[in-house]
Amino acid sequence: MTAAAPSAAAGAATPAARRPGGAEGPDASRPVRSRRPGSWWREARPALLFLSPWIIGFLVFTAWPMIYSAYLSLTDYDVINSPEFIGVENYVAMASDDKLLLALGNTALFTLMQVPLYVVVSLILALLLDRAGRASGFFRTVFFLPKMTPPVAVGVLFLLLFNGQNGIVNTVLGWFGIDGPAWTTDPAWVKPGLVFMSLWTVGASVIILLAALRNVPEMLYESARLDGAGFWRTAWNVTVPMISPALFFIIVVNTIAGFQTFDEAYTAFFGSGNTTYSNDAALFYVIYLFQQAFGFLNMGYASALAWLLFVVIMIVTAIQLVVSRRLVYYEGDRK
Amino acid sequence: MQRTPIVFGLAAATALLLGGCAVGTGGSGGDADAEYDSGSDLSGELSVMGFSAVDEVAQARIDVAETELGDVDVELIEGELDLQQFLSAVASGEPPSLLYADRDQIGSLAARGAILPLERCIEGEGIEMDQFLESAVGQVTLDGEVYGIPEFSQVQVTMANADLLQAAGVTIEQVNGSDRAAMTEANRKLAKTSGGQVQVIGVDSKLPEFLPLWVAGAGGSLISDDAKTAQLDSPEAVEALTWAVGIYDDQGGFSAVKAFRDSADFFGEGNQFATNTLGAMPMEQWYLNVLNDVSPDAPMAFDTVRGTDGEPIAFTGGSAWAIPSGGDNPEAACRWARAMTSTDAWRAAAEARLAARDAEGKPFTGILTGNQVADEEIQGMVTGGGEPWDSGVEAMYEANDHAVAMPANPADAEFEDAMQDAVNRVLNGQAEPEEALAEAQEKAQKALDDAWAELEDGD
């Protein structure tokens, strides 16, 4: 072990010197030589080769469409004819687009309602599953299965389950003496209905939270018990802080998904079965974007809308990140 | 310092790439080289988008068309027209040879140069345009040019439950639209609600889709004949919308009626007429066949829809064949369009349908082809199904003779959207008819002005 001292003292912590046990290579005391030109490329080449399917996919299917979309947002383009450069006209036109504000407002409201409910329900189910013992596996599968249902089918199902006349949701509410609203036709209840329907896919978040719950050290609970903390105090002071990274992840991901809501609402209110009656309460941003692109063939304007959504999501996510610095606890960050 | 030219070079290359990506065919894929001649031998391939051989009526006509096309290989791209799919094909520079679209899509596609004017096709193949319903031809004519060969016709017929009418002391004449005050009164007598829930819909005025029908019934139109002026805020439109929404208000509001309507087994034997839960509604003629098929004993009564002058009226729709710009076989496309809409093809289709219905022991209730000569011939082949179905078929043919339609316009999607938004806002209680229609008028007129200006600039 003494042989390691000179090199360590000299600060020449070569890989050999850092090996477990401090074993040195034969030339550990040799000064570090500068890399020969091209050595980086030789080292990186195999890595790039293995990464190339992903890199090519990213460039072709993500980066390039984004660059192209940015370009199209500066054009008047109807798909049929070549794009005509018009500068920032599409962005200026947004300012006087009432429907854009309606769609953005609907989307923001839906997201504000949906995300907290989604997280709370996910957490409750995860807590229950955590205590379910052997049955946990079965219920985990049961909760996750609806996630596999195609969103279009969920949209159709929404119309059936939430029908104000004879839908099963109102039937169940009726058992408790509650007159259910017209979820699918009353503008005031359309968004709450869609929020409840979105809980259909809560399973994925439950699985993530369950994994986080199972990583909370048992000794923290034991300490809390010794200190006389009850269930709620333990949950609030131990469980939630310890799983806050997972909670934060779910909040961010669901916020982004909320702003991108499309399939279920489109199927239920704007699809082929509802080509004439479209409830504006369900006009979400991406639906409006889709209408502009493929209904009115304003692909340039639709591209500009897509970039506005990108900016909105970036801002909201940035705010969430800033707030998270005060609220999310990362064990590795302890100072 | 050497970075500047590199950056400029990259920027120039990016701009070139981006510009080159968007191909499009508008205006660059004409048919100047095509020689349309009904006697010529054709070859090559014909890709048809938007049409499926789903039944004997389609298959019999395909057989006729394929015979006339000779050596041409026909490829049917299955399913209804998916505009996304079509636009993707256009953007990639490989549009289909032929398009089967709703007639109300033709105006926008034509204005953007996505489909060809068919004057040379019609002349070369000898397509007799005067055989087609005038209203159908109007739907595919933009700025004096025909862009589609129409086929099929959908018209509305008044359908009612005779038992409910009798029990309420109401006659079919009171629910056919001729006297709107009487129809309002009949609705109140027929409708039943309990605890805020609809039990029986008295009359369904079928908003938002049938606003144009009710406006036409009052002698109005939502757009001028030259398709340049929106008339969404006309007195006829305001009156029609106010009255038709009132029909729902008298039954607890559109929300309640729509929820009840959505819960019905519309295509099954538990439909609203068979279960005595709907008094009357205007409905497209194809529903006659559905009812006759699934609930032949339903107590039905039929009449045409009538205008406030008492005359039959219908608001027609249907499909059309159009040739995309840049298509690779316009001659074959034109021949196909001619053959599929010919009287011979429709006769073959009617014979096939008649045979199929005979085999099932059911009546043949006719086909509305959009071709008047074919319609007359097929009407002679209709087999009696006994009352009330024979009255229904009679009403259907009468409605077809009185059909009207909106002319093609270059902003049809925006126009339709403005109209439906207005109606939906009134139905949802978010606006009064005058206010909603005035706003729609402004939006629709702007869309029309912009589209016509662009079209005229393009000329």
Side-chain angles (χ1 to χ4, degrees):
Chain A
M1 295 304 284
T2 51
S7 65
T14 60
R18 287 199 299 268
R19 275 202 296 253
E24 294 176 59
D27 53 354
S29 58
R30 202 171 57 189
V32 176
R33 286 182 304 181
S34 62
R35 283 180 174 175
R36 286 196 306 273
S39 64
W40 175 87
W41 172 241
R42 271 198 302 279
E43 286 174 17
R45 198 164 47 191
L48 287 172
L49 186 68
F50 282 109
L51 286 171
S52 60
W54 182 88
I55 292 171
I56 292 168
F58 173 77
L59 290 174
V60 172
F61 297 113
T62 304
W64 176 248
M66 282 184 75
I67 295 168
Y68 191 44
S69 158
Y71 163 71
L72 286 182
S73 75
L74 303 173
T75 67
D76 178 10
Y77 181 44
D78 64 3
V79 184
I80 295 158
N81 297 284
S82 298
E84 184 187 336
F85 188 79
I86 56 169
V88 294
E89 270 185 40
N90 285 325
Y91 292 95
V92 173
M94 288 180 186
S96 55
D97 187 343
D98 296 342
K99 261 195 154 175
L100 163 60
L101 287 176
L102 172 73
L104 198 54
N106 281 342
T107 310
L109 187 57
F110 171 82
T111 307
L112 271 174
M113 289 193 287
Q114 194 257 0
V115 173
L117 187 65
Y118 200 89
V119 172
V120 168
V121 172
S122 303
L123 186 56
I124 290 170
L125 290 177
L127 286 167
L128 290 173
L129 275 182
D130 195 33
R131 290 159 171 254
R134 283 187 179 181
S136 166
F138 170 75
F139 286 110
R140 212 165 41 198
T141 309
V142 168
F143 291 151
F144 192 78
L145 272 178
K147 182 78 179 167
M148 312 297 282
T149 312
V152 172
V154 176
V156 174
L157 208 57
F158 169 76
L159 293 177
L160 295 172
L161 296 178
F162 284 77
N163 183 288
Q165 184 77 21
N166 61 3
I168 195 164
V169 171
N170 278 3
T171 304
V172 171
L173 289 175
W175 295 342
F176 300 97
I178 302 169
D179 282 337
W183 303 93
T184 59
T185 52
D186 185 341
W189 285 100
V190 162
K191 274 190 283 289
L194 286 167
V195 166
F196 285 126
M197 194 67 193
S198 74
L199 298 179
W200 181 263
T201 59
V202 82
S205 298
V206 173
I207 303 294
I208 292 168
L209 288 176
L210 185 61
L213 284 172
R214 297 209 164 154
N215 278 331
V216 179
E218 185 57 31
M219 64 178 185
L220 295 178
Y221 290 119
E222 284 171 12
S223 301
R225 276 196 293 273
L226 285 173
D227 289 344
F231 174 80
W232 290 111
R233 194 165 178 88
T234 307
W236 186 248
N237 287 340
V238 176
T239 309
V240 170
M242 291 306 291
I243 65 166
S244 57
L247 283 170
F248 176 62
F249 171 77
I250 288 168
I251 289 169
V252 170
V253 167
N254 275 292
T255 303
I256 294 171
F259 274 102
Q260 294 177 336
T261 295
F262 177 78
D263 314 51
E264 292 92 341
Y266 186 83
T267 307
F269 294 102
F270 302 90
S272 59
N274 274 297
T275 50
T276 52
Y277 175 70
S278 51
N279 201 316
D280 267 356
L283 182 71
F284 293 129
Y285 194 89
V286 181
I287 293 175
Y288 182 56
L289 189 158
F290 181 84
Q291 287 179 338
Q292 285 290 342
F294 296 103
F296 310 146
L297 307 187
N298 294 328
M299 196 61 77
Y301 189 60
S303 298
L305 288 175
W307 277 96
L308 175 65
L309 181 63
F310 178 75
V311 170
V312 169
I313 289 176
M314 288 289 283
I315 291 170
V316 171
T317 308
I319 293 169
Q320 288 176 326
L321 280 169
V322 170
V323 173
S324 76
R325 284 180 195 156
R326 296 175 63 86
L327 300 177
V328 178
Y329 169 76
Y330 292 101
E331 201 171 5
D333 282 354
R334 276 183 302 183
K335 292 191 173 73
Chain B
M1 287 294 111
Q2 287 179 346
R3 283 184 181 174
T4 311
I6 295 173
V7 169
F8 274 116
L10 284 172
T14 306
L16 276 171
L17 272 169
L18 289 168
C21 267
V23 179
T25 59
S28 62
D31 61 345
D33 296 336
E35 289 182 17
Y36 300 105
D37 180 354
S38 60
S40 65
D41 292 329
L42 301 175
S43 60
E45 292 180 356
L46 179 75
S47 54
V48 183
M49 185 178 277
F51 184 79
S52 299
V54 292
D55 60 11
E56 66 278 1
V57 171
Q59 193 54 55
R61 292 187 301 131
I62 288 172
D63 293 344
V64 171
E66 284 185 333
T67 304
E68 299 215 16
L69 283 166
D71 293 334
V72 175
D73 289 330
V74 178
E75 182 204 358
L76 295 179
I77 302 166
E78 296 286 332
E80 285 186 9
L81 178 63
D82 179 344
L83 210 53
Q84 259 181 285
Q85 187 185 14
F86 173 62
L87 294 173
S88 302
V90 170
S92 65
E94 291 182 1
S97 320
L98 186 63
L99 198 64
Y100 189 67
D102 275 352
R103 292 204 279 270
D104 59 12
Q105 293 176 303
I106 294 293
S108 281
L109 292 172
R112 288 174 163 88
I115 53 176
L116 298 173
L118 300 180
E119 189 181 346
R120 291 182 57 234
C121 154
I122 290 166
E123 193 179 331
E125 280 290 337
I127 300 173
E128 296 178 57
M129 292 304 289
D130 56 357
Q131 286 193 350
F132 296 100
L133 281 177
E134 196 182 330
S135 55
V137 176
Q139 284 183 295
V140 293
T141 305
L142 183 73
D143 208 14
E145 294 259 28
V146 174
Y147 285 87
I149 307 299
E151 72 168 40
F152 284 120
S153 187
Q154 288 186 358
V155 295
Q156 301 80 23
V157 171
T158 299
M159 303 184 185
N161 182 307
D163 287 353
L164 290 179
L165 293 184
Q166 190 178 15
V170 171
T171 64
I172 186 81
E173 288 77 20
Q174 287 171 278
V175 291
N176 65 11
S178 57
D179 182 340
R180 290 183 180 173
M183 199 157 161
T184 298
E185 194 53 37
N187 174 51
R188 288 175 185 152
K189 289 180 180 171
L190 288 162
K192 283 184 189 154
T193 57
S194 173
Q197 297 276 46
V198 176
Q199 305 294 312
V200 175
I201 299 175
V203 172
D204 191 343
S205 53
K206 295 299 292 289
L207 289 181
E209 59 264 45
F210 284 177
L211 178 67
L213 172 70
W214 299 125
V215 175
S221 173
L222 294 172
I223 192 167
S224 62
D225 290 342
D226 63 2
K228 292 190 173 174
T229 310
Q231 298 172 167
L232 289 167
D233 60 350
S234 66
E236 292 89 352
V238 173
E239 189 277 333
L241 182 56
T242 306
W243 165 77
V245 171
I247 290 282
Y248 293 124
D249 290 343
D250 287 343
Q251 304 178 74
F254 177 74
S255 176
V257 177
K258 173 86 165 66
F260 186 70
R261 187 207 276 178
D262 288 349
S263 69
D265 179 18
F266 194 75
F267 292 97
E269 56 188 25
N271 63 75
Q272 310 96 307
F273 288 120
T275 54
N276 298 319
T277 52
L278 171 61
M281 68 174 178
M283 184 62 203
E284 279 92 358
Q285 87 281 354
W286 54 260
Y287 196 53
L288 256 167
N289 289 336
V290 174
L291 292 173
N292 181 255
D293 194 34
V294 299
S295 54
D297 298 325
M300 298 303 301
F302 298 102
D303 193 2
T304 54
V305 178
R306 292 176 187 271
T308 49
D309 59 0
E311 288 298 308
I313 192 151
F315 198 81
T316 190
S319 303
W321 295 101
I323 304 179
S325 303
D328 56 2
N329 201 343
E331 293 96 338
C334 184
R335 176 80 53 87
W336 174 282
R338 193 256 295 159
M340 289 292 281
T341 58
S342 67
T343 306
D344 286 348
W346 285 118
R347 186 184 306 114
E351 283 165 357
R353 170 60 58 86
L354 180 58
R357 298 293 283 179
D358 273 348
E360 293 173 2
K362 291 174 179 168
F364 172 50
T365 54
I367 305 168
L368 295 182
T369 68
N371 176 333
Q372 296 176 93
V373 177
D375 280 348
E376 275 177 36
E377 198 168 313
I378 293 171
Q379 191 174 0
M381 298 164 70
V382 166
T383 52
E387 287 299 339
W389 308 104
D390 291 350
S391 297
V393 174
E394 193 182 325
M396 168 183 103
Y397 276 104
E398 196 175 3
N400 194 43
D401 291 339
H402 294 79
V404 296
M406 280 200 278
N409 74 75
D412 44 32
E414 290 93 334
F415 185 91
E416 190 86 5
D417 186 63
M419 179 186 73
Q420 286 177 4
D421 269 0
V423 179
N424 287 331
R425 286 180 62 215
V426 177
L427 290 172
N428 292 331
Q430 295 160 323
E432 291 300 314
E434 291 89 346
E435 176 198 351
L437 288 172
E439 196 178 312
Q441 167 72 15
E442 202 176 314
K443 281 185 188 167
Q445 190 58 55
K446 183 178 181 314
L448 284 175
D449 290 345
D450 290 349
W452 277 109
E454 202 163 323
L455 184 61
E456 280 152 16
D457 283 352
D459 291 342

